[in-house]
């Protein structure tokens, strides 16, 4: 829906999606959304890419983490959308490219294609943190646009 193409609408949808998805799995979702999320447009490639990553992150939490709580935070800082998902689950030892970690590797690759970054921090027994950073003023090649 083109009327929902703004960053603010996108963040609102993600928040509702996370609460619903995690609630169905019996996991408490704690949201923090910055008050200053702009209503600026977000292109369809960015929306789709971030949503695929977000779904992968939440699926991994539900399927593998044994978490009881997840903190999801959205903010915009220095022209970037910052998305954090932190769980209190069992964690794991993350080795990029390791067998069985294809979803995690694809998150890195997808963010790279969007001109952003995906940082995964985890330790066995200590939960997992996923941080996504997406420049809002860039096109798909990571170069500044003149809109």
């Amino acid at each position: 829906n083109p009327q929902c193409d703004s960053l603010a609408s996108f963040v609102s949808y993600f928040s509702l999606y996370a609460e619903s998805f995690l609630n169905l799995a019996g996991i408490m979702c704690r949201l923090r959304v910055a008050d200053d999320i702009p209503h600026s447009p977000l292109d369809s490639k960015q929306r789709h890419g971030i949503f695929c990553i977000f779904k992968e992150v939440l699926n991994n939490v539900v399927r593998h983490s044994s978490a009881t709580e997840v903190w999801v935070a959205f903010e915009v800082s220095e022209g970037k959308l910052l998305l954090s998902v932190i769980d209190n689950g069992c964690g794991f030892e993350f080795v990029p490219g390791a067998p069985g970690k294809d979803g995690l590797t694809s998150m890195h690759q997808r963010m790279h294609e969007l001109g952003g970054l995906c940082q995964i921090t985890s330790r066995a027994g200590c939960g997992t943190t996923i941080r996504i950073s997406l420049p809002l003023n860039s096109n798909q090649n990571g170069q500044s646009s003149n809109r």
Side-chain angles (χ1 to χ4, degrees):
N1 181 352
Q3 294 176 334
C4 298
D5 288 352
S6 75
L7 183 58
S9 295
F10 176 76
V11 167
S12 177
Y13 177 76
F14 268 36
S15 298
L16 292 172
Y17 181 88
E19 283 183 314
S20 176
F21 187 81
L22 294 169
N23 184 44
L24 285 172
I27 300 172
M28 174 66 71
C29 180
R30 303 202 183 271
L31 287 170
R32 184 172 49 90
V33 178
D35 293 332
D36 60 350
I37 301 291
H39 288 276
S40 57
L42 189 64
D43 76 45
S44 62
K45 183 174 181 175
Q46 290 174 318
R47 284 192 318 271
H48 178 74
I50 298 277
F51 187 66
C52 289
I53 292 168
F54 193 61
K55 283 181 19 179
E56 178 75 22
V57 169
L58 295 181
N59 276 316
N60 287 344
V61 168
V62 169
R63 292 177 63 206
H64 305 294
S65 76
S66 301
T68 59
E69 289 184 287
V70 174
W71 293 263
V72 178
F74 298 94
E75 65 181 297
V76 173
S77 178
E78 298 179 7
K80 296 177 183 173
L81 170 64
L82 305 175
L83 165 60
S84 299
V85 180
I86 303 166
D87 71 55
N88 69 346
C90 61
F92 62 95
E93 294 300 326
F94 177 62
V95 178
K101 305 290 188 221
D102 295 335
L104 300 175
T105 301
S106 72
M107 287 191 295
H108 280 283
Q109 181 178 359
R110 189 178 297 269
M111 282 309 301
H112 178 74
E113 291 169 2
L114 292 172
L117 297 172
C118 177
Q119 178 187 22
I120 301 170
T121 307
S122 188
R123 267 195 354 222
C126 296
T128 300
T129 299
I130 309 276
R131 290 194 192 331
I132 302 231
S133 172
L134 177 70
L136 295 173
N137 61 344
S138 68
N139 65 20
Q140 59 196 350
N141 296 324
Q143 299 169 339
S144 294
S145 65
N146 293 325
R147 289 193 216 185

